[in-house]
Amino acid sequence: MMRAGVANLVLALLALGAGSATAQPKHRFATALAWSPDGRLAVAEGTNVRVFAAAKAGGREIARLVGHRDEVGVLAWSRAGVLASAGRDERVLVWDVATGQVLRELGGHGAWLGALAWSPDGHRVATAGGDKRVHVWDVASGREQVLEGGHTEGVMALAWSPDGAWLASTGDDTRVKLWEMPSGRLVASLEAHTMMVQALAWSPDGAWLASAGRERTVMVWDVASVVAELRAPPPNKKAPKKKAPKKKPVTAGPQGPVLVLRSAPARALVGAGEAVFGLWWSADESAAELDKAAPLRGSVLVAGTARGALVKWTASVNPGGGLRWSGADIMAAAGDWVHAVALGGLPVVAAPAGPTGPDAGAGAGAGAGAGAGASAGAGAGGVDAGHVDAAVASPPARPTPTTRLLAVADWNGATRAGALGALRVLIASNPVAQTALAWARDGKSLVTGGPGLLVQWNFDGRTLGAPRFVRTTGTVRGLATDGGARVAIAGTTGAQLLMPVTARSDGAAAATPRGFGPALDCRAVVVADVDLDRSRSRIATGCDDGAIHLWDLAGGRGRSLTGHTRWVTALALDAGATRLASGADDREVRLWDTQAGKLLGTLTGHGDAIRAVAFDGDLVISASADATVRVWQDGATSATYSQGNDVLAIAVGADHVIAAGDHGGSIRLWPAGTTLAAHAGPVRALAFSPGGAVLASTGDDGMVRLWTAAGRPLLSRSAIETLASPPQSVKMAPGMP
């Protein structure tokens, strides 16, 4: 059935001259957003952080912070208005935004960083990521406290309770961990999610904790009851025996027992509609501002989703105890798929009168370097420690009164921000990056795709001809071609099949899109069988629900292959289309019988998410974010190649040559190990032409490059050429039932 997003697909055809390649653009997507208490917006873009003035000041750029060596993925402001940033270079930088100088560098993580949170007092910052550990830093002294033994996968979110007595962490392993602070002791594991969790938020009174992520469900945990159980005195052995209540499971932790809760005391809130990127609780007057019917302080919970929407639930006091929730209601919608979303303008939540943690008497900053794992942190980078201490000890920044602020960074490269319902563009859309690539079966054309863009290039054996492009809804993540002129797309609006694109004599574009299945976020697509008239022709997609969806091209009937527990990120068919290989964020490669739909085997060994898979005869090739390429034979690893950076794409050519593109912009040819300095940004897609004579590559820099099988450059073209002039004609394509 056709989805609404596909029904409004806009098609445009350009005929541009084949000019010389343009300079490589440096455009990057905004990967993180954060509002300060006084309404400034920080935007992470590549290795830089841009800071924009408050909305009432016109949203002008007031600072550009340069210091990271790799992509910035997370940002956080303290209550005093101090900004911290972290990402793939394994460092945390604490900034003086006014001067653009680094106040403190916190290093030693040993892996990418995906979570960052300031303590309520502004003296400590918690960080976590790929090393599966939580680090707590005293910012003034640089001393580090390491919280170990909690997670088995990368950590994606952190949140301090309002009084600083507890720290929550969660991530790829789906579990929410509760740490007692400042001792750093793991006390509880909340286990109700089934997919990656990437957002946490405490209620203003610290009694409730909300968690959400890929599965589109928000869990609200009654942390007050968990804490009460943790603090309950041991039973009196001399008291008369009563019927013992059902015991909650307890497991051994590195510093004592850990309470394991797999459902109660949690409430599942449904209605988010898409993956949740952020969570916020209302506080004080914000409850009335966000929902005038809210009868309880801190009773409005807001989720920011992958579609750029704000979804809210409202709570009221349940006479029988606890909270009764209603919703979900859409507060605002950006109308496009987004990388990041942030809600600002919320009042600073005042901490309770006195700390409620087990070590309340230790003082607000006493535990910064205490407990097991405490060690000397990174140096101040030449900045006087007193300057750092003064910055973090500043009073809370004055919040923007009664103004709710929204910021979204979409897949078209645009960042919009402002008051709810009145967003303005801060960073303009720039759909240059190309994220997918496929050759036609006859080798006479090449198709690339990116944010809102599909580009077709004719190839005469020596050069690429004039490009023509199709505007799409959402971002193209994966491409495949069939034996005719059809192109299968996997992207942020699900799976689509574009029927042949033809140019009429008047220059207008004519094409018919067809959508398959639910509106999932899909990264991979393949087409089985080149005979378009055979009923067993199939399109297969890998999506964020962890399933592989198979669809009949003739009748639109579908079924799903289940087994992966995380986002399916890669698919490949063998030469006979009888075996399908799939890779996912769960680190596994699975092999399937395409006819019977049965699992043939599971390949394990990678240390991080799978990014690409391919066949080489009977061999299976896989690439991973663990920076390795593996060759599998008969279910076992026969070769491992270390790339030195996250591997995002692979392609197999003649004579068993494996091309691997990585996040650093390089392509390596294995097993020889030849390195090609290919792109000015991550290499997102690779493909050898039929026969293996030509290798095509593309990535975030928008360049399409062709290479010989030996790695000699042939030519470069830029997707930005297609944006040099407006479309000659635009036609709305009709939807299909």
Side-chain angles (χ1 to χ4, degrees):
M1 182 176 290
M2 192 63 203
R3 295 180 306 281
V6 179
N8 293 322
L9 186 67
V10 181
L11 302 174
L13 186 64
L14 281 185
L16 300 179
S20 60
T22 60
Q24 295 184 21
K26 299 297 183 181
H27 171 75
R28 298 275 189 148
F29 293 112
T31 52
L33 303 167
W35 290 101
S36 71
D38 60 355
R40 290 172 292 168
L41 178 66
V43 180
E45 192 179 39
T47 60
N48 299 333
V49 178
R50 302 172 67 179
V51 182
F52 294 85
K56 63 182 181 181
R60 59 186 175 82
E61 185 172 352
I62 58 175
R64 184 166 298 202
L65 310 178
V66 180
H68 282 284
R69 295 188 289 265
D70 208 335
E71 186 176 270
V72 179
V74 61
L75 300 166
W77 293 88
S78 73
R79 290 184 182 175
V82 179
L83 179 65
S85 60
R88 297 176 58 85
D89 64 0
E90 307 175 9
R91 302 181 302 152
V92 178
L93 300 184
V94 180
W95 299 92
D96 182 335
V97 174
T99 65
Q101 299 299 308
V102 175
L103 292 173
R104 172 73 71 186
E105 177 182 329
L106 307 172
H109 292 84
W112 54 265
L113 292 171
L116 182 65
W118 285 91
S119 63
D121 61 14
H123 290 281
R124 291 167 290 170
V125 64
T127 61
D131 69 354
K132 310 171 191 175
R133 304 184 299 174
V134 177
H135 305 253
V136 180
W137 303 84
D138 180 282
V139 177
S141 68
R143 289 187 61 84
E144 177 190 21
Q145 179 183 10
V146 181
L147 314 184
E148 299 190 78
H151 291 281
T152 58
E153 303 279 354
V155 180
M156 301 300 294
L158 294 164
W160 293 82
S161 63
D163 61 358
W166 309 97
L167 178 63
S169 62
T170 190
D172 284 345
D173 63 6
T174 74
R175 294 169 171 81
V176 179
K177 304 294 183 178
L178 193 61
W179 307 84
E180 175 188 88
M181 300 305 293
S183 69
R185 184 171 70 91
L186 177 63
V187 295
S189 180
L190 314 179
E191 303 177 5
H193 291 283
T194 59
M195 299 181 73
M196 181 179 74
V197 187
Q198 53 194 18
L200 292 169
W202 290 83
S203 63
D205 60 3
W208 303 85
L209 176 66
S211 58
R214 289 291 181 189
E215 62 187 334
R216 304 174 174 87
T217 299
V218 178
M219 301 299 298
V220 181
W221 301 87
D222 183 359
V223 180
S225 66
V226 176
V227 172
E229 183 163 350
L230 291 171
R231 293 176 176 170
N236 187 349
K237 295 182 179 181
K238 295 182 180 180
K241 291 185 177 181
K242 296 182 180 180
K243 184 178 180 180
K246 186 177 180 180
K247 294 183 178 179
K248 292 186 172 64
V250 175
T251 186
Q255 298 178 4
V258 177
L259 185 65
V260 179
L261 302 174
R262 293 193 170 88
S263 56
R267 170 68 186 274
L269 305 181
V270 298
E274 301 296 340
V276 175
F277 285 174
L279 289 169
W280 302 271
W281 286 83
S282 64
D284 299 326
E285 70 271 20
S286 67
E289 176 70 20
L290 293 177
D291 192 328
K292 297 184 183 301
L296 180 71
R297 176 183 184 270
S299 62
V300 175
L301 177 62
V302 181
T305 75
R307 199 61 191 265
L310 293 181
V311 184
K312 71 172 181 179
W313 294 265
T314 303
S316 58
V317 177
N318 192 331
L323 298 179
R324 180 169 53 209
W325 292 91
S326 62
D329 301 317
I330 304 297
M331 290 177 54
D336 205 345
W337 294 83
V338 302
H339 280 283
V341 58
L343 180 63
L346 298 178
V348 174
V349 182
T356 59
D359 298 316
S375 62
V383 178
D384 179 68
H387 184 194
V388 180
D389 191 45
V392 300
S394 300
R398 183 180 179 84
T400 303
T402 65
T403 301
R404 298 296 165 260
L405 303 172
L406 174 64
V408 293
D410 66 34
W411 279 94
N412 288 326
T415 299
R416 289 172 287 161
L420 293 185
L423 301 187
R424 64 190 300 271
V425 175
L426 295 184
I427 302 173
S429 175
N430 189 357
V432 170
Q434 298 292 277
T435 52
L437 182 151
W439 286 93
R441 298 283 177 90
D442 59 8
K444 294 182 179 179
S445 64
L446 182 68
V447 180
T448 64
L453 188 69
L454 190 71
V455 186
Q456 183 179 22
W457 314 74
N458 290 327
F459 181 62
D460 62 6
R462 296 178 301 169
T463 187
L464 294 174
R468 55 179 183 172
F469 77 91
V470 174
R471 288 284 190 187
T472 66
T473 54
T475 292
V476 178
R477 294 184 185 269
L479 288 171
T481 58
D482 61 20
R486 299 195 290 192
V487 178
I489 300 173
T492 53
T493 55
Q496 305 172 25
L497 184 69
L498 288 185
M499 304 306 177
V501 179
T502 60
R504 300 201 306 259
S505 58
D506 61 0
T512 305
R514 183 175 184 178
F516 295 89
L520 299 171
D521 193 346
C522 302
R523 290 188 185 177
V525 62
V526 292
V527 177
D529 297 335
V530 299
D531 186 348
L532 302 182
D533 295 326
R534 297 175 66 178
S535 62
R536 66 189 185 95
S537 297
R538 296 287 189 271
I539 180 174
T541 58
C543 304
D544 63 352
D545 62 348
I548 301 164
H549 301 279
L550 301 176
W551 302 97
D552 187 305
L553 292 183
R557 297 181 300 274
R559 61 174 173 168
S560 299
L561 305 179
T562 59
H564 286 293
T565 58
R566 306 283 172 82
W567 199 331
V568 177
T569 56
L571 294 173
L573 284 167
D574 68 0
T578 60
R579 289 191 301 161
L580 175 70
S582 62
D585 280 349
D586 60 8
R587 307 181 181 184
E588 293 183 347
V589 176
R590 289 176 174 253
L591 302 178
W592 309 84
D593 183 320
T594 58
Q595 302 301 317
K598 294 182 179 180
L599 179 66
L600 299 175
T602 302
L603 310 178
T604 59
H606 279 292
D608 210 329
I610 308 300
R611 293 293 180 240
V613 291
F615 280 98
D616 183 11
D618 292 332
L619 303 177
V620 178
I621 318 297
S622 60
S624 168
D626 66 5
T628 66
V629 176
R630 286 180 178 248
V631 181
W632 306 84
Q633 184 173 23
D634 298 327
T637 302
S638 62
T640 300
Y641 305 118
S642 180
Q643 186 90 357
N645 211 323
D646 294 6
V647 185
L648 305 179
I650 54 174
V652 178
D655 299 324
H656 309 290
V657 173
I658 303 170
D662 61 38
H663 194 275
S666 297
I667 298 174
R668 301 195 71 176
L669 302 181
W670 300 104
T674 305
T675 300
L676 313 180
H679 291 271
V683 179
R684 299 290 180 182
L686 294 169
F688 277 99
S689 63
V694 178
L695 173 66
S697 64
T698 193
D700 281 8
D701 62 2
M703 302 299 293
V704 177
R705 297 183 180 274
L706 299 185
W707 315 79
T708 67
R712 182 173 59 84
L714 289 177
L715 61 89
S716 298
R717 293 290 300 276
S718 173
I720 201 170
E721 293 175 3
T722 64
L723 308 176
S725 59
Q728 294 180 346
S729 59
V730 176
K731 179 180 176 62
M732 296 298 295
M736 292 182 62

XYZ file of all heavy atoms in Angstrom, residues 483-534:
354
model
N 16.917 -5.491 -13.555
C 17.376 -5.676 -14.926
C 16.810 -4.677 -15.895
O 17.264 -4.593 -17.030
N 15.797 -3.922 -15.492
C 15.237 -2.897 -16.354
C 15.739 -1.536 -15.936
O 16.922 -1.348 -15.684
N 14.815 -0.585 -15.838
C 15.203 0.781 -15.500
C 14.694 1.191 -14.125
O 14.671 2.370 -13.805
C 14.666 1.743 -16.561
N 14.288 0.216 -13.331
C 13.733 0.543 -12.034
C 14.826 0.635 -10.972
O 15.832 -0.080 -11.027
C 12.670 -0.475 -11.623
C 11.496 -0.505 -12.594
C 10.301 -1.218 -12.026
N 10.503 -2.649 -11.891
C 9.503 -3.508 -11.638
N 8.280 -3.049 -11.494
N 9.738 -4.790 -11.537
N 14.588 1.494 -9.998
C 15.526 1.693 -8.899
C 14.788 1.476 -7.590
O 13.735 2.077 -7.351
C 16.123 3.118 -8.921
C 17.061 3.323 -7.741
C 16.848 3.371 -10.233
N 15.323 0.605 -6.750
C 14.750 0.373 -5.424
C 15.496 1.232 -4.414
O 16.722 1.323 -4.439
C 14.860 -1.097 -5.047
N 14.740 1.874 -3.545
C 15.297 2.819 -2.578
C 14.951 2.371 -1.165
O 13.801 2.019 -0.882
C 14.735 4.241 -2.799
C 15.074 4.748 -4.199
C 15.253 5.201 -1.746
C 14.406 6.074 -4.518
N 15.927 2.400 -0.284
C 15.692 2.277 1.157
C 16.050 3.615 1.768
O 17.109 4.180 1.476
C 16.542 1.172 1.768
N 15.183 4.139 2.610
C 15.454 5.445 3.179
C 14.624 5.746 4.397
O 14.000 4.861 4.983
N 14.621 7.010 4.759
C 13.943 7.410 5.991
C 12.431 7.354 5.873
O 11.737 7.458 6.886
C 14.365 8.835 6.381
O 14.156 9.710 5.271
C 15.824 8.872 6.784
N 11.897 7.207 4.668
C 10.454 7.045 4.499
C 10.090 5.616 4.134
O 8.988 5.351 3.662
C 9.923 8.001 3.415
O 10.650 7.805 2.209
C 10.056 9.440 3.859
N 10.994 4.677 4.343
C 10.722 3.279 4.075
C 11.282 2.830 2.750
O 12.289 3.336 2.264
N 10.625 1.834 2.145
C 11.074 1.257 0.880
C 10.234 1.807 -0.258
O 9.014 1.891 -0.165
C 10.964 -0.260 0.924
N 10.893 2.170 -1.340
C 10.217 2.678 -2.533
C 10.810 2.003 -3.756
O 11.975 1.626 -3.766
C 10.392 4.191 -2.677
C 9.954 5.007 -1.490
C 10.333 6.466 -1.643
O 10.492 6.959 -2.749
N 10.490 7.151 -0.526
N 9.984 1.865 -4.776
C 10.452 1.395 -6.071
C 10.074 2.450 -7.089
O 8.895 2.758 -7.270
C 9.811 0.054 -6.437
C 10.319 -0.564 -7.743
C 11.765 -1.012 -7.599
C 9.438 -1.719 -8.171
N 11.072 3.044 -7.734
C 10.816 4.040 -8.768
C 10.728 3.345 -10.118
O 11.664 2.657 -10.541
C 11.921 5.089 -8.799
C 11.946 6.087 -7.644
C 13.023 7.131 -7.894
C 10.598 6.768 -7.495
N 9.598 3.510 -10.776
C 9.407 2.967 -12.106
C 10.268 3.772 -13.085
O 10.826 4.808 -12.723
C 7.928 3.041 -12.493
C 7.006 2.349 -11.489
S 7.486 0.639 -11.156
C 6.268 0.203 -9.907
N 10.403 3.317 -14.327
C 11.296 4.016 -15.258
C 11.018 5.513 -15.334
O 9.872 5.947 -15.439
C 11.007 3.324 -16.600
C 10.564 1.958 -16.205
C 9.791 2.132 -14.932
N 12.079 6.302 -15.260
C 11.980 7.750 -15.377
C 12.216 8.109 -16.835
O 13.248 7.789 -17.402
C 13.010 8.451 -14.478
C 12.910 9.957 -14.628
C 12.795 8.050 -13.029
N 11.253 8.758 -17.439
C 11.379 9.118 -18.845
C 11.241 10.622 -19.014
O 10.589 11.294 -18.223
C 10.298 8.415 -19.686
O 9.007 8.816 -19.199
C 10.434 6.906 -19.582
N 11.866 11.150 -20.038
C 11.775 12.581 -20.344
C 10.919 12.763 -21.586
O 11.219 12.218 -22.647
C 13.154 13.173 -20.560
N 9.821 13.517 -21.449
C 8.960 13.786 -22.596
C 9.593 14.858 -23.477
O 10.550 15.525 -23.099
C 7.580 14.235 -22.110
C 6.878 13.190 -21.252
C 5.373 13.460 -21.253
N 5.051 14.824 -20.863
C 4.620 15.154 -19.647
N 4.499 14.220 -18.732
N 4.325 16.407 -19.368
N 9.011 15.060 -24.641
C 9.565 16.029 -25.579
C 9.524 17.450 -25.037
O 10.326 18.291 -25.424
C 8.788 15.970 -26.904
O 7.401 16.228 -26.677
N 8.583 17.709 -24.108
C 8.519 19.047 -23.539
C 9.451 19.214 -22.343
O 9.453 20.249 -21.686
C 7.081 19.386 -23.125
C 6.544 18.436 -22.054
O 7.290 17.516 -21.644
O 5.389 18.617 -21.629
N 10.240 18.182 -22.044
C 11.217 18.270 -20.968
C 10.686 17.915 -19.598
O 11.429 17.926 -18.631
N 9.395 17.580 -19.490
C 8.827 17.248 -18.190
C 9.262 15.850 -17.761
O 9.609 15.007 -18.590
C 7.299 17.322 -18.242
N 9.265 15.627 -16.459
C 9.632 14.321 -15.923
C 8.387 13.484 -15.701
O 7.339 13.995 -15.317
C 10.388 14.485 -14.612
N 8.480 12.203 -15.970
C 7.366 11.297 -15.740
C 7.897 10.046 -15.067
O 8.809 9.411 -15.574
C 6.670 10.952 -17.054
N 7.368 9.715 -13.917
C 7.797 8.523 -13.200
C 6.710 8.136 -12.220
O 5.841 8.936 -11.887
C 9.114 8.764 -12.466
N 6.748 6.906 -11.770
C 5.750 6.426 -10.817
C 6.457 5.765 -9.648
O 7.137 4.761 -9.837
C 4.805 5.405 -11.480
O 4.236 5.991 -12.645
C 3.698 5.023 -10.511
N 6.310 6.293 -8.450
C 6.895 5.634 -7.287
C 5.920 4.642 -6.681
O 4.701 4.798 -6.786
C 7.134 6.805 -6.334
C 6.004 7.732 -6.634
C 5.700 7.581 -8.103
N 6.443 3.648 -6.039
C 5.605 2.678 -5.350
C 6.240 2.358 -4.011
O 7.443 2.112 -3.929
C 5.480 1.400 -6.187
C 4.566 0.353 -5.562
C 4.403 -0.817 -6.507
N 3.470 -1.791 -5.981
C 3.105 -2.897 -6.621
N 3.601 -3.147 -7.811
N 2.264 -3.744 -6.077
N 5.465 2.392 -2.956
C 5.993 2.137 -1.630
C 5.623 0.753 -1.141
O 4.632 0.162 -1.570
N 6.420 0.226 -0.251
C 6.185 -1.100 0.291
C 6.215 -1.029 1.812
O 7.152 -0.492 2.396
C 7.266 -2.087 -0.178
C 7.248 -2.340 -1.655
C 7.975 -1.540 -2.508
C 6.495 -3.370 -2.183
C 7.961 -1.764 -3.874
C 6.477 -3.599 -3.545
C 7.209 -2.804 -4.396
N 5.192 -1.611 2.440
C 5.219 -1.827 3.877
C 5.052 -0.573 4.707
O 4.724 0.493 4.198
N 5.298 -0.701 6.010
C 5.119 0.420 6.930
C 6.199 1.475 6.746
O 7.238 1.234 6.142
C 5.235 -0.242 8.313
C 6.080 -1.455 8.075
C 5.723 -1.933 6.701
N 5.931 2.656 7.294
C 6.868 3.784 7.155
C 8.005 3.638 8.145
O 8.079 4.333 9.155
C 6.132 5.102 7.365
N 8.919 2.729 7.836
C 10.074 2.486 8.688
C 11.277 3.260 8.170
O 11.289 3.739 7.039
C 10.390 0.987 8.725
C 9.287 0.077 9.282
C 9.660 -1.378 9.052
C 9.060 0.344 10.760
N 12.287 3.349 9.000
C 13.553 3.950 8.584
C 14.453 2.807 8.131
O 14.858 1.971 8.941
C 14.169 4.711 9.757
C 15.310 5.617 9.319
O 15.784 5.466 8.184
O 15.741 6.467 10.115
N 14.746 2.745 6.841
C 15.462 1.608 6.263
C 16.825 2.039 5.728
O 16.969 3.133 5.183
C 14.647 0.979 5.136
S 13.009 0.411 5.660
N 17.813 1.171 5.862
C 19.168 1.481 5.423
C 19.644 0.624 4.261
O 20.632 0.952 3.627
C 20.154 1.294 6.587
C 20.023 2.324 7.693
C 21.151 2.172 8.685
N 21.005 3.064 9.824
C 21.824 3.087 10.866
N 22.852 2.256 10.908
N 21.625 3.911 11.856
N 19.004 -0.511 4.021
C 19.541 -1.447 3.029
C 18.418 -1.969 2.150
O 17.277 -2.147 2.593
C 20.244 -2.614 3.728
N 18.744 -2.227 0.891
C 17.765 -2.772 -0.040
C 18.491 -3.599 -1.092
O 19.601 -3.262 -1.512
C 16.941 -1.641 -0.704
C 17.839 -0.716 -1.515
C 15.821 -2.203 -1.566
N 17.870 -4.704 -1.526
C 18.361 -5.507 -2.646
C 17.156 -5.953 -3.459
O 16.034 -6.032 -2.956
C 19.172 -6.745 -2.196
C 20.484 -6.339 -1.560
C 18.358 -7.605 -1.235
N 17.394 -6.241 -4.736
C 16.352 -6.760 -5.614
C 16.782 -8.133 -6.089
O 17.878 -8.290 -6.635
C 16.106 -5.825 -6.819
C 15.062 -6.435 -7.752
C 15.641 -4.462 -6.341
N 15.930 -9.137 -5.885
C 16.220 -10.501 -6.315
C 15.491 -10.792 -7.618
O 14.335 -10.394 -7.789
C 15.776 -11.489 -5.237
N 16.163 -11.470 -8.546
C 15.631 -11.874 -9.834
C 15.498 -10.679 -10.763
O 14.844 -9.698 -10.443
C 14.279 -12.572 -9.715
C 14.358 -13.871 -8.941
O 15.441 -14.488 -8.893
O 13.340 -14.249 -8.374
N 16.103 -10.798 -11.924
C 16.098 -9.690 -12.880
C 14.926 -9.775 -13.841
O 14.649 -8.823 -14.553
C 17.423 -9.648 -13.679
C 18.584 -9.440 -12.735
C 17.612 -10.929 -14.484
N 14.227 -10.914 -13.883
C 13.083 -11.065 -14.777
C 11.878 -10.394 -14.128
O 11.289 -10.913 -13.188
C 12.793 -12.559 -15.014
C 11.710 -12.771 -16.053
O 11.046 -11.775 -16.412
O 11.542 -13.916 -16.490
N 11.506 -9.239 -14.634
C 10.466 -8.438 -13.990
C 9.089 -9.070 -14.112
O 8.173 -8.701 -13.382
C 10.438 -7.033 -14.585
C 11.744 -6.250 -14.483
C 11.541 -4.856 -15.070
C 12.206 -6.152 -13.047
N 8.897 -10.011 -15.022
C 7.578 -10.603 -15.218
C 7.347 -11.829 -14.345
O 6.244 -12.375 -14.331
C 7.390 -10.992 -16.692
C 7.379 -9.764 -17.588
O 6.891 -8.715 -17.135
O 7.882 -9.879 -18.720
N 8.353 -12.261 -13.612
C 8.200 -13.467 -12.795
C 7.665 -13.087 -11.426
O 8.146 -12.169 -10.783
C 9.535 -14.190 -12.671
C 10.054 -14.670 -14.022
C 11.425 -15.275 -13.909
N 11.409 -16.501 -13.125
C 12.491 -17.248 -12.913
N 13.647 -16.888 -13.429
N 12.405 -18.344 -12.186
